[in-house]
Amino acid sequence: MENQIELVVYGADVLCPSCVNLPSSKEQYDWLQAAISRKFGDNGVIYKYVDIYNPPEEKPYQQFATKVIDEDMFYPVVLVEGEVVGEGNPRLKTIYKALEKKGLKPES
């Protein structure tokens, strides 16, 4: 696949107040990466984890990290090519559909 699809997970080491019984953002990021790789293979998706309290220097990541905090979004927040596709407890089916919509095809 020529074009890489960016999947970004925004989260924090501390669980969000409404997500007490869920895995941490980092655990969900690792789980999503494994699940997506099983369905679509290892190519085609660029994964990025952004700590909302310590975002990287790039302005778009800093701005969205600030938005997650300011708007009290449930994290992890999952974005596919800049579009929010999951919040709090992301659903695989929704993320798979978003990836397929962007042109990613499941492996046979």
Side-chain angles (χ1 to χ4, degrees):
M1 170 173 238
E2 285 182 21
N3 294 336
Q4 298 274 303
I5 298 168
E6 184 181 55
L7 183 139
V8 183
V9 175
Y10 288 84
D13 289 337
V14 179
L15 291 177
C16 78
S18 299
C19 307
V20 174
N21 293 322
L22 297 174
S24 72
S25 297
K26 188 70 170 149
E27 289 170 328
Q28 289 194 48
Y29 168 75
D30 292 337
W31 170 76
L32 281 171
Q33 209 170 347
I36 291 166
S37 292
R38 277 193 303 276
K39 183 170 179 89
F40 297 101
D42 291 328
N43 297 319
V45 180
I46 298 171
Y47 300 93
K48 185 165 186 81
Y49 179 80
V50 175
D51 183 321
I52 59 173
Y53 296 110
N54 190 20
E57 294 293 318
E58 296 95 338
K59 204 166 193 83
Y61 298 118
Q62 288 181 345
Q63 288 173 334
F64 196 84
T66 300
K67 179 179 178 173
V68 172
I69 295 167
D70 290 349
E71 294 183 9
D72 289 326
M73 296 175 84
F74 297 120
Y75 46 87
V77 179
V78 181
L79 276 71
V80 171
E81 290 294 314
E83 177 186 340
V84 176
V85 295
E87 186 181 338
N89 187 14
R91 303 279 179 225
L92 268 180
K93 277 187 172 185
T94 306
I95 294 167
Y96 288 164
K97 281 182 185 176
L99 291 169
E100 289 174 1
K101 200 166 113 182
K102 298 292 180 187
L104 200 60
K105 303 218 181 309
E107 289 190 335
S108 303

